[in-house]
Amino acid sequence: TQLLEQSPQFLSIQEGENLTVYCNSSSVFSSLQWYRQEPGEGPVLLVTVVTGGEVKKLKRLTFQFGDARKDSSLHITAAQPGDTGLYLCAGDGGGSNYQLIWGAGTKLIIKP
Amino acid sequence: NAGVTQTPKFRILKIGQSMTLQCTQDMNHNYMYWYRQDPGMGLKLIYYSVGAGITDKGEVPNGYNVSRSTTEDFPLRLELAAPSQTSVYFCASSSGTGGTNYGYTFGSGTRLTVV
């Protein structure tokens, strides 16, 4: 059974600080995605990483896919209150039905 | 672009009642999914569909049924509601082309309470 473990589960920091969220597995994924979910809304796709070692940047957010395609990280520089939300990682195991394996999420609170 | 539309937004059901959660997408996506999300538990797959007329069970299908008569619509039916079905339900779709999953588009969810 494929599992994705996210850490930390909860993080509360001051505006302007940097942070990193991790998504780890013992399984290999053909792609990995990061989503952000705000209260009362569905998850919104932030990025998809496909190649081992790939790094993608989205403004102050940097996403990295591990060389072995088993893990990923999300780094936020100079966090803003607008970054507050639940961050979910999801891996594609490569099945023909495009099902995703989901992490339990990291709840991030950025205090002004 | 509407994306994925779910109705209703909120619903309270009594034990034993039935209801249908509606989901429609306007992106011509072949793949559609129903998830439930409980606090601290992440997303659990209930049912999915790879195209009109084709559905299959996910991780937690008991107590639910689905149909997919068109590409656009993927309703979720709850029969004989139970308190354990209190949750937030999300519908999602994906184009699922090219052999790589580039991501899902989610609806805004239905918050269901069974009392």
Side-chain angles (χ1 to χ4, degrees), chain A residues 31 33 35 37 40-43 45 48 50 86 92 96-100 102 104, chain B residues 9 31 33 35 37 43 45 48 90 96 99-104 106-108:
Chain A
S31 71
Q33 298 150 25
Y35 294 77
Q37 184 178 19
E41 297 296 329
L45 179 68
T48 299
V50 179
L86 179 67
D92 178 7
S96 60
N97 51 29
Y98 296 96
Q99 284 189 45
L100 293 176
W102 291 87
Chain B
K9 185 77 172 174
Y31 295 80
Y33 310 85
Y35 286 93
Q37 186 177 39
L43 290 162
L45 182 65
Y48 67 95
F90 289 102
T100 298
N101 186 335
Y102 283 99
Y104 290 179
F106 281 85
S108 58

PDB file of all heavy atoms in Angstrom, chain A residues 31 33 35 37 40-43 45 48 50 86 92 96-100 102 104, chain B residues 9 31 33 35 37 43 45 48 90 96 99-104 106-108:
ATOM      1  N   SER A  31       4.380  11.245 -10.637  1.00  0.00           N
ATOM      2  CA  SER A  31       4.275  12.689 -10.473  1.00  0.00           C
ATOM      3  C   SER A  31       3.784  12.972  -9.066  1.00  0.00           C
ATOM      4  O   SER A  31       3.237  12.084  -8.397  1.00  0.00           O
ATOM      5  CB  SER A  31       3.323  13.313 -11.503  1.00  0.00           C
ATOM      6  OG  SER A  31       1.974  12.959 -11.217  1.00  0.00           O
ATOM      7  N   GLN A  33       1.923  16.227  -6.668  1.00  0.00           N
ATOM      8  CA  GLN A  33       1.262  17.518  -6.732  1.00  0.00           C
ATOM      9  C   GLN A  33       1.116  18.105  -5.344  1.00  0.00           C
ATOM     10  O   GLN A  33       1.018  17.381  -4.347  1.00  0.00           O
ATOM     11  CB  GLN A  33      -0.122  17.342  -7.362  1.00  0.00           C
ATOM     12  CG  GLN A  33      -0.055  16.825  -8.777  1.00  0.00           C
ATOM     13  CD  GLN A  33      -1.247  16.006  -9.163  1.00  0.00           C
ATOM     14  OE1 GLN A  33      -2.321  16.174  -8.590  1.00  0.00           O
ATOM     15  NE2 GLN A  33      -1.088  15.123 -10.133  1.00  0.00           N
ATOM     16  N   TYR A  35      -1.317  20.962  -3.269  1.00  0.00           N
ATOM     17  CA  TYR A  35      -2.558  21.719  -3.272  1.00  0.00           C
ATOM     18  C   TYR A  35      -2.619  22.583  -2.007  1.00  0.00           C
ATOM     19  O   TYR A  35      -2.075  22.225  -0.970  1.00  0.00           O
ATOM     20  CB  TYR A  35      -3.772  20.780  -3.264  1.00  0.00           C
ATOM     21  CG  TYR A  35      -3.949  19.929  -4.499  1.00  0.00           C
ATOM     22  CD1 TYR A  35      -3.170  18.803  -4.700  1.00  0.00           C
ATOM     23  CD2 TYR A  35      -4.914  20.242  -5.451  1.00  0.00           C
ATOM     24  CE1 TYR A  35      -3.333  18.007  -5.824  1.00  0.00           C
ATOM     25  CE2 TYR A  35      -5.090  19.454  -6.583  1.00  0.00           C
ATOM     26  CZ  TYR A  35      -4.295  18.338  -6.751  1.00  0.00           C
ATOM     27  OH  TYR A  35      -4.464  17.557  -7.867  1.00  0.00           O
ATOM     28  N   GLN A  37      -5.652  24.357   0.419  1.00  0.00           N
ATOM     29  CA  GLN A  37      -7.085  24.373   0.680  1.00  0.00           C
ATOM     30  C   GLN A  37      -7.383  25.423   1.746  1.00  0.00           C
ATOM     31  O   GLN A  37      -6.785  25.412   2.824  1.00  0.00           O
ATOM     32  CB  GLN A  37      -7.563  22.998   1.147  1.00  0.00           C
ATOM     33  CG  GLN A  37      -9.066  22.905   1.357  1.00  0.00           C
ATOM     34  CD  GLN A  37      -9.504  21.523   1.778  1.00  0.00           C
ATOM     35  OE1 GLN A  37      -8.698  20.716   2.261  1.00  0.00           O
ATOM     36  NE2 GLN A  37     -10.784  21.220   1.611  1.00  0.00           N
ATOM     37  N   GLY A  40     -13.718  26.034   3.909  1.00  0.00           N
ATOM     38  CA  GLY A  40     -14.956  26.105   3.148  1.00  0.00           C
ATOM     39  C   GLY A  40     -14.795  25.949   1.653  1.00  0.00           C
ATOM     40  O   GLY A  40     -15.777  26.118   0.910  1.00  0.00           O
ATOM     41  N   GLU A  41     -13.586  25.640   1.201  1.00  0.00           N
ATOM     42  CA  GLU A  41     -13.341  25.507  -0.231  1.00  0.00           C
ATOM     43  C   GLU A  41     -12.664  24.175  -0.527  1.00  0.00           C
ATOM     44  O   GLU A  41     -12.141  23.497   0.362  1.00  0.00           O
ATOM     45  CB  GLU A  41     -12.454  26.643  -0.731  1.00  0.00           C
ATOM     46  CG  GLU A  41     -13.080  28.020  -0.586  1.00  0.00           C
ATOM     47  CD  GLU A  41     -14.326  28.193  -1.438  1.00  0.00           C
ATOM     48  OE1 GLU A  41     -14.386  27.564  -2.523  1.00  0.00           O
ATOM     49  OE2 GLU A  41     -15.244  28.925  -1.024  1.00  0.00           O
ATOM     50  N   GLY A  42     -12.661  23.794  -1.809  1.00  0.00           N
ATOM     51  CA  GLY A  42     -11.949  22.605  -2.215  1.00  0.00           C
ATOM     52  C   GLY A  42     -10.471  22.890  -2.413  1.00  0.00           C
ATOM     53  O   GLY A  42     -10.070  24.052  -2.538  1.00  0.00           O
ATOM     54  N   PRO A  43      -9.628  21.853  -2.427  1.00  0.00           N
ATOM     55  CA  PRO A  43      -8.203  22.049  -2.687  1.00  0.00           C
ATOM     56  C   PRO A  43      -7.979  22.668  -4.067  1.00  0.00           C
ATOM     57  O   PRO A  43      -8.691  22.360  -5.020  1.00  0.00           O
ATOM     58  CB  PRO A  43      -7.636  20.630  -2.631  1.00  0.00           C
ATOM     59  CG  PRO A  43      -8.624  19.844  -1.822  1.00  0.00           C
ATOM     60  CD  PRO A  43      -9.954  20.442  -2.153  1.00  0.00           C
ATOM     61  N   LEU A  45      -4.983  23.257  -6.969  1.00  0.00           N
ATOM     62  CA  LEU A  45      -3.664  22.801  -7.400  1.00  0.00           C
ATOM     63  C   LEU A  45      -2.675  23.959  -7.455  1.00  0.00           C
ATOM     64  O   LEU A  45      -2.949  25.008  -8.054  1.00  0.00           O
ATOM     65  CB  LEU A  45      -3.778  22.157  -8.787  1.00  0.00           C
ATOM     66  CG  LEU A  45      -2.492  21.635  -9.407  1.00  0.00           C
ATOM     67  CD1 LEU A  45      -1.966  20.434  -8.628  1.00  0.00           C
ATOM     68  CD2 LEU A  45      -2.706  21.266 -10.869  1.00  0.00           C
ATOM     69  N   THR A  48       2.608  20.742 -10.132  1.00  0.00           N
ATOM     70  CA  THR A  48       2.867  19.324 -10.371  1.00  0.00           C
ATOM     71  C   THR A  48       4.344  19.170 -10.708  1.00  0.00           C
ATOM     72  O   THR A  48       4.859  19.905 -11.558  1.00  0.00           O
ATOM     73  CB  THR A  48       2.029  18.786 -11.537  1.00  0.00           C
ATOM     74  OG1 THR A  48       0.636  18.936 -11.235  1.00  0.00           O
ATOM     75  CG2 THR A  48       2.323  17.310 -11.783  1.00  0.00           C
ATOM     76  N   VAL A  50       7.283  16.326 -11.931  1.00  0.00           N
ATOM     77  CA  VAL A  50       7.266  15.059 -12.665  1.00  0.00           C
ATOM     78  C   VAL A  50       8.645  14.387 -12.701  1.00  0.00           C
ATOM     79  O   VAL A  50       8.763  13.172 -12.592  1.00  0.00           O
ATOM     80  CB  VAL A  50       6.769  15.282 -14.111  1.00  0.00           C
ATOM     81  CG1 VAL A  50       6.774  13.978 -14.902  1.00  0.00           C
ATOM     82  CG2 VAL A  50       5.384  15.902 -14.116  1.00  0.00           C
ATOM     83  N   LEU A  86      -4.475  24.874   4.458  1.00  0.00           N
ATOM     84  CA  LEU A  86      -4.088  23.470   4.576  1.00  0.00           C
ATOM     85  C   LEU A  86      -3.360  23.082   3.294  1.00  0.00           C
ATOM     86  O   LEU A  86      -3.905  23.220   2.199  1.00  0.00           O
ATOM     87  CB  LEU A  86      -5.333  22.599   4.759  1.00  0.00           C
ATOM     88  CG  LEU A  86      -5.095  21.090   4.870  1.00  0.00           C
ATOM     89  CD1 LEU A  86      -4.352  20.746   6.156  1.00  0.00           C
ATOM     90  CD2 LEU A  86      -6.418  20.331   4.802  1.00  0.00           C
ATOM     91  N   ASP A  92       0.923  10.448  -7.731  1.00  0.00           N
ATOM     92  CA  ASP A  92       0.315   9.591  -8.741  1.00  0.00           C
ATOM     93  C   ASP A  92       1.130   8.313  -8.811  1.00  0.00           C
ATOM     94  O   ASP A  92       2.313   8.346  -9.173  1.00  0.00           O
ATOM     95  CB  ASP A  92       0.317  10.317 -10.085  1.00  0.00           C
ATOM     96  CG  ASP A  92      -0.266   9.462 -11.208  1.00  0.00           C
ATOM     97  OD1 ASP A  92      -0.782   8.366 -10.927  1.00  0.00           O
ATOM     98  OD2 ASP A  92      -0.204   9.907 -12.370  1.00  0.00           O
ATOM     99  N   SER A  96      -3.741   3.403 -14.320  1.00  0.00           N
ATOM    100  CA  SER A  96      -4.446   3.900 -15.501  1.00  0.00           C
ATOM    101  C   SER A  96      -5.675   4.736 -15.153  1.00  0.00           C
ATOM    102  O   SER A  96      -6.231   5.402 -16.016  1.00  0.00           O
ATOM    103  CB  SER A  96      -4.877   2.728 -16.382  1.00  0.00           C
ATOM    104  OG  SER A  96      -5.738   1.866 -15.643  1.00  0.00           O
ATOM    105  N   ASN A  97      -6.111   4.715 -13.875  1.00  0.00           N
ATOM    106  CA  ASN A  97      -7.286   5.494 -13.500  1.00  0.00           C
ATOM    107  C   ASN A  97      -6.910   6.852 -12.920  1.00  0.00           C
ATOM    108  O   ASN A  97      -7.774   7.591 -12.482  1.00  0.00           O
ATOM    109  CB  ASN A  97      -8.147   4.715 -12.504  1.00  0.00           C
ATOM    110  CG  ASN A  97      -7.339   4.204 -11.334  1.00  0.00           C
ATOM    111  OD1 ASN A  97      -6.344   4.803 -10.950  1.00  0.00           O
ATOM    112  ND2 ASN A  97      -7.766   3.093 -10.748  1.00  0.00           N
ATOM    113  N   TYR A  98      -5.605   7.188 -12.934  1.00  0.00           N
ATOM    114  CA  TYR A  98      -5.120   8.494 -12.478  1.00  0.00           C
ATOM    115  C   TYR A  98      -5.520   8.793 -11.048  1.00  0.00           C
ATOM    116  O   TYR A  98      -5.673   9.951 -10.662  1.00  0.00           O
ATOM    117  CB  TYR A  98      -5.585   9.607 -13.415  1.00  0.00           C
ATOM    118  CG  TYR A  98      -5.010   9.465 -14.789  1.00  0.00           C
ATOM    119  CD1 TYR A  98      -5.733   8.839 -15.799  1.00  0.00           C
ATOM    120  CD2 TYR A  98      -3.732   9.914 -15.069  1.00  0.00           C
ATOM    121  CE1 TYR A  98      -5.188   8.676 -17.062  1.00  0.00           C
ATOM    122  CE2 TYR A  98      -3.183   9.754 -16.331  1.00  0.00           C
ATOM    123  CZ  TYR A  98      -3.925   9.138 -17.323  1.00  0.00           C
ATOM    124  OH  TYR A  98      -3.392   8.973 -18.569  1.00  0.00           O
ATOM    125  N   GLN A  99      -5.641   7.766 -10.216  1.00  0.00           N
ATOM    126  CA  GLN A  99      -5.926   7.988  -8.804  1.00  0.00           C
ATOM    127  C   GLN A  99      -4.710   8.558  -8.122  1.00  0.00           C
ATOM    128  O   GLN A  99      -3.567   8.238  -8.456  1.00  0.00           O
ATOM    129  CB  GLN A  99      -6.311   6.674  -8.126  1.00  0.00           C
ATOM    130  CG  GLN A  99      -7.721   6.207  -8.432  1.00  0.00           C
ATOM    131  CD  GLN A  99      -8.094   5.037  -7.579  1.00  0.00           C
ATOM    132  OE1 GLN A  99      -7.846   5.033  -6.368  1.00  0.00           O
ATOM    133  NE2 GLN A  99      -8.683   4.029  -8.185  1.00  0.00           N
ATOM    134  N   LEU A 100      -4.957   9.392  -7.116  1.00  0.00           N
ATOM    135  CA  LEU A 100      -3.883   9.994  -6.348  1.00  0.00           C
ATOM    136  C   LEU A 100      -3.837   9.400  -4.940  1.00  0.00           C
ATOM    137  O   LEU A 100      -4.860   9.040  -4.379  1.00  0.00           O
ATOM    138  CB  LEU A 100      -4.084  11.505  -6.249  1.00  0.00           C
ATOM    139  CG  LEU A 100      -3.965  12.296  -7.553  1.00  0.00           C
ATOM    140  CD1 LEU A 100      -4.289  13.756  -7.303  1.00  0.00           C
ATOM    141  CD2 LEU A 100      -2.560  12.144  -8.136  1.00  0.00           C
ATOM    142  N   TRP A 102      -3.027  10.493  -1.201  1.00  0.00           N
ATOM    143  CA  TRP A 102      -3.022  11.790  -0.534  1.00  0.00           C
ATOM    144  C   TRP A 102      -2.317  11.749   0.815  1.00  0.00           C
ATOM    145  O   TRP A 102      -2.484  10.801   1.591  1.00  0.00           O
ATOM    146  CB  TRP A 102      -4.460  12.264  -0.314  1.00  0.00           C
ATOM    147  CG  TRP A 102      -5.149  12.611  -1.576  1.00  0.00           C
ATOM    148  CD1 TRP A 102      -5.839  11.767  -2.385  1.00  0.00           C
ATOM    149  CD2 TRP A 102      -5.195  13.905  -2.198  1.00  0.00           C
ATOM    150  NE1 TRP A 102      -6.309  12.446  -3.473  1.00  0.00           N
ATOM    151  CE2 TRP A 102      -5.943  13.752  -3.381  1.00  0.00           C
ATOM    152  CE3 TRP A 102      -4.689  15.162  -1.863  1.00  0.00           C
ATOM    153  CZ2 TRP A 102      -6.179  14.823  -4.245  1.00  0.00           C
ATOM    154  CZ3 TRP A 102      -4.929  16.215  -2.711  1.00  0.00           C
ATOM    155  CH2 TRP A 102      -5.672  16.041  -3.892  1.00  0.00           C
ATOM    156  N   ALA A 104      -2.032  13.561   4.629  1.00  0.00           N
ATOM    157  CA  ALA A 104      -3.075  14.056   5.539  1.00  0.00           C
ATOM    158  C   ALA A 104      -3.088  15.580   5.636  1.00  0.00           C
ATOM    159  O   ALA A 104      -4.048  16.157   6.148  1.00  0.00           O
ATOM    160  CB  ALA A 104      -2.910  13.436   6.914  1.00  0.00           C
TER     161      ALA A 104
ATOM    162  N   LYS B   9     -24.487  23.153  -0.997  1.00  0.00           N
ATOM    163  CA  LYS B   9     -23.306  23.536  -0.236  1.00  0.00           C
ATOM    164  C   LYS B   9     -23.376  22.956   1.179  1.00  0.00           C
ATOM    165  O   LYS B   9     -22.363  22.544   1.735  1.00  0.00           O
ATOM    166  CB  LYS B   9     -23.224  25.057  -0.158  1.00  0.00           C
ATOM    167  CG  LYS B   9     -21.967  25.589   0.513  1.00  0.00           C
ATOM    168  CD  LYS B   9     -20.761  25.522  -0.389  1.00  0.00           C
ATOM    169  CE  LYS B   9     -19.556  26.237   0.226  1.00  0.00           C
ATOM    170  NZ  LYS B   9     -18.340  26.068  -0.580  1.00  0.00           N
ATOM    171  N   TYR B  31     -12.155  11.857 -16.399  1.00  0.00           N
ATOM    172  CA  TYR B  31     -12.015  11.252 -15.088  1.00  0.00           C
ATOM    173  C   TYR B  31     -12.670  12.115 -14.018  1.00  0.00           C
ATOM    174  O   TYR B  31     -12.426  13.321 -13.943  1.00  0.00           O
ATOM    175  CB  TYR B  31     -10.530  11.062 -14.749  1.00  0.00           C
ATOM    176  CG  TYR B  31      -9.851  10.078 -15.655  1.00  0.00           C
ATOM    177  CD1 TYR B  31      -9.439  10.464 -16.932  1.00  0.00           C
ATOM    178  CD2 TYR B  31      -9.633   8.767 -15.263  1.00  0.00           C
ATOM    179  CE1 TYR B  31      -8.831   9.553 -17.784  1.00  0.00           C
ATOM    180  CE2 TYR B  31      -9.018   7.860 -16.104  1.00  0.00           C
ATOM    181  CZ  TYR B  31      -8.628   8.257 -17.362  1.00  0.00           C
ATOM    182  OH  TYR B  31      -8.030   7.356 -18.210  1.00  0.00           O
ATOM    183  N   TYR B  33     -14.101  12.036  -9.694  1.00  0.00           N
ATOM    184  CA  TYR B  33     -13.852  11.371  -8.409  1.00  0.00           C
ATOM    185  C   TYR B  33     -14.745  11.983  -7.331  1.00  0.00           C
ATOM    186  O   TYR B  33     -15.036  13.181  -7.362  1.00  0.00           O
ATOM    187  CB  TYR B  33     -12.394  11.567  -7.986  1.00  0.00           C
ATOM    188  CG  TYR B  33     -11.376  11.229  -9.044  1.00  0.00           C
ATOM    189  CD1 TYR B  33     -11.006  12.178 -10.000  1.00  0.00           C
ATOM    190  CD2 TYR B  33     -10.782   9.977  -9.104  1.00  0.00           C
ATOM    191  CE1 TYR B  33     -10.079  11.877 -10.977  1.00  0.00           C
ATOM    192  CE2 TYR B  33      -9.848   9.670 -10.086  1.00  0.00           C
ATOM    193  CZ  TYR B  33      -9.514  10.626 -11.017  1.00  0.00           C
ATOM    194  OH  TYR B  33      -8.590  10.323 -11.992  1.00  0.00           O
ATOM    195  N   TYR B  35     -14.691  12.302  -3.141  1.00  0.00           N
ATOM    196  CA  TYR B  35     -13.916  12.136  -1.914  1.00  0.00           C
ATOM    197  C   TYR B  35     -14.746  12.598  -0.723  1.00  0.00           C
ATOM    198  O   TYR B  35     -15.614  13.448  -0.848  1.00  0.00           O
ATOM    199  CB  TYR B  35     -12.654  12.998  -1.939  1.00  0.00           C
ATOM    200  CG  TYR B  35     -11.558  12.512  -2.836  1.00  0.00           C
ATOM    201  CD1 TYR B  35     -11.449  12.970  -4.146  1.00  0.00           C
ATOM    202  CD2 TYR B  35     -10.592  11.620  -2.382  1.00  0.00           C
ATOM    203  CE1 TYR B  35     -10.426  12.545  -4.968  1.00  0.00           C
ATOM    204  CE2 TYR B  35      -9.553  11.190  -3.193  1.00  0.00           C
ATOM    205  CZ  TYR B  35      -9.485  11.661  -4.485  1.00  0.00           C
ATOM    206  OH  TYR B  35      -8.462  11.235  -5.299  1.00  0.00           O
ATOM    207  N   GLN B  37     -13.847  14.156   3.241  1.00  0.00           N
ATOM    208  CA  GLN B  37     -12.743  14.700   4.020  1.00  0.00           C
ATOM    209  C   GLN B  37     -13.203  14.866   5.452  1.00  0.00           C
ATOM    210  O   GLN B  37     -14.120  15.640   5.742  1.00  0.00           O
ATOM    211  CB  GLN B  37     -12.284  16.048   3.456  1.00  0.00           C
ATOM    212  CG  GLN B  37     -11.045  16.595   4.142  1.00  0.00           C
ATOM    213  CD  GLN B  37     -10.571  17.896   3.505  1.00  0.00           C
ATOM    214  OE1 GLN B  37     -11.357  18.742   3.116  1.00  0.00           O
ATOM    215  NE2 GLN B  37      -9.257  18.063   3.392  1.00  0.00           N
ATOM    216  N   LEU B  43      -8.038  13.087   2.510  1.00  0.00           N
ATOM    217  CA  LEU B  43      -9.093  12.797   1.539  1.00  0.00           C
ATOM    218  C   LEU B  43      -9.188  11.291   1.313  1.00  0.00           C
ATOM    219  O   LEU B  43      -8.182  10.625   1.038  1.00  0.00           O
ATOM    220  CB  LEU B  43      -8.784  13.504   0.218  1.00  0.00           C
ATOM    221  CG  LEU B  43      -8.908  15.021   0.231  1.00  0.00           C
ATOM    222  CD1 LEU B  43      -8.175  15.635  -0.951  1.00  0.00           C
ATOM    223  CD2 LEU B  43     -10.364  15.434   0.213  1.00  0.00           C
ATOM    224  N   LEU B  45     -11.067   8.355  -1.006  1.00  0.00           N
ATOM    225  CA  LEU B  45     -11.772   8.157  -2.266  1.00  0.00           C
ATOM    226  C   LEU B  45     -12.974   7.247  -2.072  1.00  0.00           C
ATOM    227  O   LEU B  45     -12.843   6.137  -1.554  1.00  0.00           O
ATOM    228  CB  LEU B  45     -10.817   7.569  -3.303  1.00  0.00           C
ATOM    229  CG  LEU B  45     -11.385   7.349  -4.702  1.00  0.00           C
ATOM    230  CD1 LEU B  45     -11.751   8.683  -5.356  1.00  0.00           C
ATOM    231  CD2 LEU B  45     -10.381   6.594  -5.570  1.00  0.00           C
ATOM    232  N   TYR B  48     -15.007   6.477  -8.263  1.00  0.00           N
ATOM    233  CA  TYR B  48     -14.451   7.238  -9.360  1.00  0.00           C
ATOM    234  C   TYR B  48     -15.016   6.726 -10.681  1.00  0.00           C
ATOM    235  O   TYR B  48     -15.622   5.648 -10.738  1.00  0.00           O
ATOM    236  CB  TYR B  48     -12.924   7.198  -9.363  1.00  0.00           C
ATOM    237  CG  TYR B  48     -12.319   5.845  -9.658  1.00  0.00           C
ATOM    238  CD1 TYR B  48     -11.935   5.503 -10.951  1.00  0.00           C
ATOM    239  CD2 TYR B  48     -12.115   4.914  -8.638  1.00  0.00           C
ATOM    240  CE1 TYR B  48     -11.363   4.272 -11.216  1.00  0.00           C
ATOM    241  CE2 TYR B  48     -11.550   3.675  -8.899  1.00  0.00           C
ATOM    242  CZ  TYR B  48     -11.175   3.356 -10.185  1.00  0.00           C
ATOM    243  OH  TYR B  48     -10.620   2.140 -10.451  1.00  0.00           O
ATOM    244  N   PHE B  90     -16.230  16.132  -1.525  1.00  0.00           N
ATOM    245  CA  PHE B  90     -15.677  16.863  -2.658  1.00  0.00           C
ATOM    246  C   PHE B  90     -15.734  16.020  -3.920  1.00  0.00           C
ATOM    247  O   PHE B  90     -15.403  14.827  -3.901  1.00  0.00           O
ATOM    248  CB  PHE B  90     -14.219  17.252  -2.393  1.00  0.00           C
ATOM    249  CG  PHE B  90     -14.061  18.323  -1.370  1.00  0.00           C
ATOM    250  CD1 PHE B  90     -13.680  18.011  -0.077  1.00  0.00           C
ATOM    251  CD2 PHE B  90     -14.285  19.651  -1.704  1.00  0.00           C
ATOM    252  CE1 PHE B  90     -13.534  19.004   0.871  1.00  0.00           C
ATOM    253  CE2 PHE B  90     -14.140  20.647  -0.761  1.00  0.00           C
ATOM    254  CZ  PHE B  90     -13.765  20.324   0.530  1.00  0.00           C
ATOM    255  N   GLY B  96      -6.692  13.528 -17.367  1.00  0.00           N
ATOM    256  CA  GLY B  96      -6.117  12.189 -17.425  1.00  0.00           C
ATOM    257  C   GLY B  96      -5.587  11.791 -18.777  1.00  0.00           C
ATOM    258  O   GLY B  96      -5.748  10.656 -19.221  1.00  0.00           O
ATOM    259  N   GLY B  99      -0.838   9.999 -20.089  1.00  0.00           N
ATOM    260  CA  GLY B  99      -0.186   9.074 -19.179  1.00  0.00           C
ATOM    261  C   GLY B  99       0.338   9.703 -17.908  1.00  0.00           C
ATOM    262  O   GLY B  99       0.869   9.020 -17.044  1.00  0.00           O
ATOM    263  N   THR B 100       0.188  11.013 -17.738  1.00  0.00           N
ATOM    264  CA  THR B 100       0.656  11.682 -16.523  1.00  0.00           C
ATOM    265  C   THR B 100      -0.504  12.441 -15.903  1.00  0.00           C
ATOM    266  O   THR B 100      -1.246  13.128 -16.601  1.00  0.00           O
ATOM    267  CB  THR B 100       1.792  12.673 -16.835  1.00  0.00           C
ATOM    268  OG1 THR B 100       2.897  11.938 -17.365  1.00  0.00           O
ATOM    269  CG2 THR B 100       2.240  13.412 -15.583  1.00  0.00           C
ATOM    270  N   ASN B 101      -0.633  12.296 -14.589  1.00  0.00           N
ATOM    271  CA  ASN B 101      -1.670  13.020 -13.871  1.00  0.00           C
ATOM    272  C   ASN B 101      -1.142  14.396 -13.523  1.00  0.00           C
ATOM    273  O   ASN B 101      -0.293  14.536 -12.646  1.00  0.00           O
ATOM    274  CB  ASN B 101      -2.063  12.233 -12.613  1.00  0.00           C
ATOM    275  CG  ASN B 101      -3.228  12.854 -11.903  1.00  0.00           C
ATOM    276  OD1 ASN B 101      -3.475  14.035 -12.012  1.00  0.00           O
ATOM    277  ND2 ASN B 101      -3.948  12.038 -11.152  1.00  0.00           N
ATOM    278  N   TYR B 102      -1.639  15.404 -14.196  1.00  0.00           N
ATOM    279  CA  TYR B 102      -1.164  16.763 -13.955  1.00  0.00           C
ATOM    280  C   TYR B 102      -1.980  17.507 -12.922  1.00  0.00           C
ATOM    281  O   TYR B 102      -1.659  18.642 -12.586  1.00  0.00           O
ATOM    282  CB  TYR B 102      -1.112  17.550 -15.275  1.00  0.00           C
ATOM    283  CG  TYR B 102       0.082  17.170 -16.120  1.00  0.00           C
ATOM    284  CD1 TYR B 102      -0.047  16.267 -17.167  1.00  0.00           C
ATOM    285  CD2 TYR B 102       1.340  17.693 -15.846  1.00  0.00           C
ATOM    286  CE1 TYR B 102       1.054  15.898 -17.915  1.00  0.00           C
ATOM    287  CE2 TYR B 102       2.446  17.327 -16.601  1.00  0.00           C
ATOM    288  CZ  TYR B 102       2.291  16.431 -17.635  1.00  0.00           C
ATOM    289  OH  TYR B 102       3.385  16.069 -18.377  1.00  0.00           O
ATOM    290  N   GLY B 103      -3.020  16.882 -12.408  1.00  0.00           N
ATOM    291  CA  GLY B 103      -3.745  17.535 -11.325  1.00  0.00           C
ATOM    292  C   GLY B 103      -5.243  17.450 -11.460  1.00  0.00           C
ATOM    293  O   GLY B 103      -5.778  17.194 -12.538  1.00  0.00           O
ATOM    294  N   TYR B 104      -5.885  17.624 -10.336  1.00  0.00           N
ATOM    295  CA  TYR B 104      -7.340  17.590 -10.256  1.00  0.00           C
ATOM    296  C   TYR B 104      -7.885  19.003 -10.097  1.00  0.00           C
ATOM    297  O   TYR B 104      -7.243  19.875  -9.491  1.00  0.00           O
ATOM    298  CB  TYR B 104      -7.806  16.805  -9.027  1.00  0.00           C
ATOM    299  CG  TYR B 104      -7.594  15.314  -9.047  1.00  0.00           C
ATOM    300  CD1 TYR B 104      -7.986  14.554  -7.957  1.00  0.00           C
ATOM    301  CD2 TYR B 104      -7.017  14.639 -10.112  1.00  0.00           C
ATOM    302  CE1 TYR B 104      -7.817  13.176  -7.920  1.00  0.00           C
ATOM    303  CE2 TYR B 104      -6.836  13.277 -10.100  1.00  0.00           C
ATOM    304  CZ  TYR B 104      -7.239  12.550  -8.993  1.00  0.00           C
ATOM    305  OH  TYR B 104      -7.071  11.182  -8.962  1.00  0.00           O
ATOM    306  N   PHE B 106     -11.122  20.645  -8.227  1.00  0.00           N
ATOM    307  CA  PHE B 106     -12.116  20.297  -7.214  1.00  0.00           C
ATOM    308  C   PHE B 106     -13.279  21.266  -7.223  1.00  0.00           C
ATOM    309  O   PHE B 106     -13.135  22.445  -7.559  1.00  0.00           O
ATOM    310  CB  PHE B 106     -11.482  20.347  -5.815  1.00  0.00           C
ATOM    311  CG  PHE B 106     -10.655  19.151  -5.474  1.00  0.00           C
ATOM    312  CD1 PHE B 106      -9.334  19.079  -5.861  1.00  0.00           C
ATOM    313  CD2 PHE B 106     -11.201  18.090  -4.758  1.00  0.00           C
ATOM    314  CE1 PHE B 106      -8.550  17.971  -5.546  1.00  0.00           C
ATOM    315  CE2 PHE B 106     -10.436  16.985  -4.437  1.00  0.00           C
ATOM    316  CZ  PHE B 106      -9.109  16.925  -4.833  1.00  0.00           C
ATOM    317  N   GLY B 107     -14.436  20.741  -6.798  1.00  0.00           N
ATOM    318  CA  GLY B 107     -15.560  21.597  -6.476  1.00  0.00           C
ATOM    319  C   GLY B 107     -15.372  22.201  -5.094  1.00  0.00           C
ATOM    320  O   GLY B 107     -14.392  21.898  -4.400  1.00  0.00           O
ATOM    321  N   SER B 108     -16.314  23.032  -4.685  1.00  0.00           N
ATOM    322  CA  SER B 108     -16.178  23.731  -3.401  1.00  0.00           C
ATOM    323  C   SER B 108     -16.722  22.928  -2.227  1.00  0.00           C
ATOM    324  O   SER B 108     -16.624  23.368  -1.083  1.00  0.00           O
ATOM    325  CB  SER B 108     -16.860  25.091  -3.455  1.00  0.00           C
ATOM    326  OG  SER B 108     -18.224  24.932  -3.793  1.00  0.00           O
TER     327      SER B 108
END
